[in-house]
Amino acid sequence: MPLPSTTIQQWLDRTHAMFIGGEWLPARSGKTLEVFNPATAEVICQVPAGDADDIDRAVTSARTAFREWRHSRPSRREKLLLDLADALEERADEFAMLETLDNGKPLTFSRHMDVALAIDFLRYTAGWATKIEGRSMTPSMPYAPSDKQIVAYTRREPVGVVGAIIPWNFPLLMASWKIAPALAAGCSVVLKPAEDTPLTALLLAELVESVGFPAGTLNVVTGLGHEAGAALAAHPGINKVAFTGSTPVGKMIGKAAMENMTRTTLELGGKSPVMVLADADIEAAAAGAAQAIFFNQGQVCTAGSRIYVHEAAHDAFVAKLAEHAKGLTMAPGWEEGATLGPLVSAKQQQRVLDYIGYAREEGGQIATGGGAGRDTGFFVEPTVITGLAQNSRCVQEEIFGPVVVVQTFRDLDELVTLANDSPYGLAASLWSNDLSAIHRLIPEIDAGSVWVNGHNLLDPSMPFGGFKQSGIGREMGDSLIEHYTEQKSVVMLV
Ligand code: ADP
């Protein structure tokens, strides 16, 4: 075990409770779930195993809170979100350590990516609270009495109670992505964190309480996906589900939501291509491709998990990519210099090792990596695979681990065909300075985000979401307001 600060150790040693209607409560069933440290496979604490009963209680308190919160002054909502960002910043080190202990990611990334980006996102989104606008219109309405004037406008109103279901790869950041726009728009929230990583959501709820959000505006129910998660998605008392996670679960949630016409945004899986064109700087492209797949142990929906490199550069590129993989320091996240942590769970580790096995069976060559690499903890070595066909499982299916497949292409037409030959369409990166090739490719690629000479270039101001089976709807930018409000048309004859 690392040496977490006394504060964090004391926090872990508490009896953890869920945050419902401004109170800290156990699950009604009294059941709990174990939380593991993925670097040691040790249990670090227990959290309540909330189920349908607890979800029902949380939705009821969110509905009650919504009645007043929806009419709260936008400037108050903005100020509370800014205060929440400040409170998070003050305790950034604690949050970072907790995230590392819970999820496994290297501490330096927890601190400078997850926590820092969550703070940035809260501040960005706070500003939207005061910038929600409608439009005034000039309808003709020939059937209206001619002695009347027509006044017409649209309003944006908070969509209502939001059920937020989030994954385990960026627990705090995903919680912020869901909570902040909902609260900014005047919605109340029931948040169900992933069972593997519930801790930072609970600590964040403490800050939400301490900065003074009214009771019931945020509720956090910890529990299993098929119990608490499924109950939330199907609850008739919510108006919107905001989900980030796998495509199969996203489809179940979408179907359950449709039963009640609950609004949905679904941010789902990906198999994002990294395309290295003939003119690319191979050194820069290999370094970028390594980050694109190995960041967060490859547990990123936008991970660059398929690389298409121009055939002339294949061998040189693979050699450099393998060098970058070998240069990573695989270690428990709190150790000095760690750049690759464990995967989140034993289940995820096994899943990823299984995929490496399928690659071997399908004729792939392992350029580097290929095993767990350490006896303790849920580690998988950074792995580069070559020689696989386009229809192989490792090219077609989302692995969600530090495993990348390198293939070749001859010309841009073939590249487009290969890149789009995937059920997913979340993101893609192009590595080139050939402007005409780049501009020809951008409109052809089926992806919600396309990056040039970089990967994972996300920002709160840029809409984010997927084409095809990567999801429905967009997060961030002005999409935040679109997806957390309903439009109302108002017409008056005066
Ligand atoms: P993974 O399979 O990698 O754990 P999931 O998509 O299953 O990813 O998990 C994302 C979130 O969805 C988690 O909070 C999980 O608890 C939740 N979840 C899983 N199954 C269901 C379900 N049937 N209904 C609602 N939520 C679910």
Side-chain angles (χ1 to χ4, degrees):
M1 259 298 261
L3 297 171
S5 67
T6 337
T7 344
I8 282 291
Q9 192 55 59
Q10 283 169 353
W11 191 87
L12 286 174
D13 290 344
R14 281 194 210 167
T15 302
H16 294 285
M18 303 185 290
F19 188 53
I20 299 178
E23 289 181 77
W24 292 91
L25 301 168
R28 271 201 171 135
S29 68
K31 289 189 190 153
T32 57
L33 297 172
E34 291 181 325
V35 180
F36 290 87
N37 176 342
T40 60
E42 288 166 359
V43 174
I44 48 175
C45 66
Q46 317 255 345
V47 295
D51 61 18
D53 259 2
D54 304 289
I55 288 290
D56 194 49
R57 189 161 50 164
V59 171
T60 302
S61 46
R63 284 236 74 85
T64 307
F66 178 63
R67 279 188 221 127
E68 286 191 17
W69 182 244
R70 64 180 303 176
H71 300 300
S72 57
R73 287 284 152 88
S75 55
R76 178 172 172 227
R77 303 201 295 266
E78 177 178 36
K79 174 74 168 60
L80 284 169
L81 283 167
L82 290 173
D83 290 349
L84 182 62
D86 290 347
L88 181 55
E89 195 164 47
E90 264 172 42
R91 296 180 62 184
D93 291 335
E94 275 172 70
F95 271 88
M97 181 51 104
L98 200 56
E99 202 74 306
T100 289
L101 294 176
D102 197 6
N103 165 282
K105 59 183 76 201
L107 190 55
T108 174
F109 295 122
S110 298
R111 177 68 186 83
H112 301 292
M113 298 297 287
D114 295 63
V115 178
L117 294 178
I119 295 166
D120 188 45
F121 183 76
L122 287 172
R123 290 193 174 131
Y124 170 84
T125 309
W128 273 109
T130 52
K131 287 149 200 85
I132 299 171
E133 297 175 340
R135 289 178 295 157
S136 74
M137 331 290 255
T138 52
S140 300
M141 297 185 177
Y143 52 81
S146 56
D147 60 335
K148 296 281 186 191
Q149 289 195 23
I150 303 169
V151 177
Y153 62 95
T154 60
R155 317 173 19 91
R156 284 203 173 267
E157 299 180 356
V159 68
V161 174
V162 174
I165 303 176
I166 57 169
W168 43 257
N169 56 345
F170 294 95
L172 174 70
L173 188 59
M174 290 300 115
S176 315
W177 278 24
K178 308 297 188 219
I179 292 171
L183 294 176
C187 301
S188 56
V189 186
V190 177
L191 173 72
K192 209 294 285 173
E195 48 269 51
D196 286 320
T197 56
L199 300 184
T200 46
L202 291 176
L203 190 55
L204 188 65
E206 289 180 26
L207 300 191
V208 164
E209 183 181 29
S210 71
V211 301
F213 279 93
T217 47
L218 172 70
N219 305 271
V220 180
V221 176
T222 49
L224 296 173
H226 66 272
E227 293 178 1
L232 183 54
H235 201 293
I238 63 167
N239 305 94
K240 173 192 163 79
V241 186
F243 173 74
T244 298
S246 62
T247 297
V249 173
K251 287 181 182 175
M252 285 196 273
I253 287 176
K255 284 180 196 155
M258 185 53 79
E259 201 53 45
N260 301 313
M261 282 298 160
T262 302
R263 278 67 179 130
T264 49
T265 39
L266 304 172
E267 202 269 274
L268 309 178
K271 193 76 193 172
S272 301
V274 171
M275 293 164 272
V276 182
L277 304 199
D279 74 296
D281 170 345
I282 291 298
E283 181 54 64
Q291 273 187 7
I293 184 61
F294 300 131
F295 169 59
N296 213 40
Q297 297 69 245
Q299 302 166 127
V300 183
C301 50
T302 52
S305 51
R306 298 184 284 150
I307 300 176
Y308 296 101
V309 57
H310 188 263
E311 59 183 0
H314 176 266
D315 294 353
F317 179 86
V318 170
K320 286 192 190 298
L321 181 63
E323 241 173 70
H324 282 288
K326 287 180 194 141
L328 294 167
T329 304
M330 196 168 77
W334 56 85
E335 280 187 11
E336 190 71 29
T339 46
L340 196 88
L343 301 193
V344 75
S345 63
K347 178 177 147 209
Q348 190 62 16
Q349 180 196 37
Q350 192 52 53
R351 174 187 160 87
V352 175
L353 292 173
D354 285 349
Y355 270 102
I356 298 173
Y358 307 145
R360 287 197 169 98
E361 285 162 20
E362 291 182 304
Q365 286 108 51
I366 311 292
T368 185
R374 287 174 74 105
D375 296 335
T376 312
F378 311 135
F379 290 87
V380 174
E381 291 174 308
T383 299
V384 177
I385 304 174
T386 61
L388 281 176
Q390 176 68 15
N391 64 359
S392 63
R393 292 190 68 176
C394 284
V395 175
Q396 289 295 327
E397 297 174 22
E398 185 176 41
I399 302 174
F400 228 60
V403 177
V404 68
V405 178
V406 186
Q407 294 171 273
T408 58
F409 68 93
R410 277 183 299 273
D411 56 38
L412 297 188
D413 287 339
E414 187 186 19
L415 178 59
V416 169
T417 305
L418 292 169
N420 288 343
D421 175 25
S422 166
Y424 297 107
L426 190 55
S429 65
L430 288 166
W431 297 79
S432 171
N433 286 311
D434 178 346
L435 275 184
S436 54
I438 292 168
H439 282 295
R440 197 185 133 196
L441 288 170
I442 289 170
E444 297 285 340
I445 300 298
D446 299 337
S449 296
V450 178
W451 302 304
V452 179
N453 295 325
H455 198 97
N456 285 334
L457 304 176
L458 298 173
D459 187 78
S461 65
M462 299 292 294
F464 176 70
F467 284 24
K468 303 200 283 193
Q469 305 234 354
S470 289
I472 292 181
R474 294 289 179 273
E475 298 191 284
M476 313 226 257
D478 56 4
S479 306
L480 293 177
I481 297 311
E482 189 186 326
H483 287 293
Y484 285 87
T485 57
E486 290 273 19
Q487 282 207 73
K488 183 176 282 177
S489 292
V490 181
V491 183
M492 291 184 234
L493 302 178
V494 294

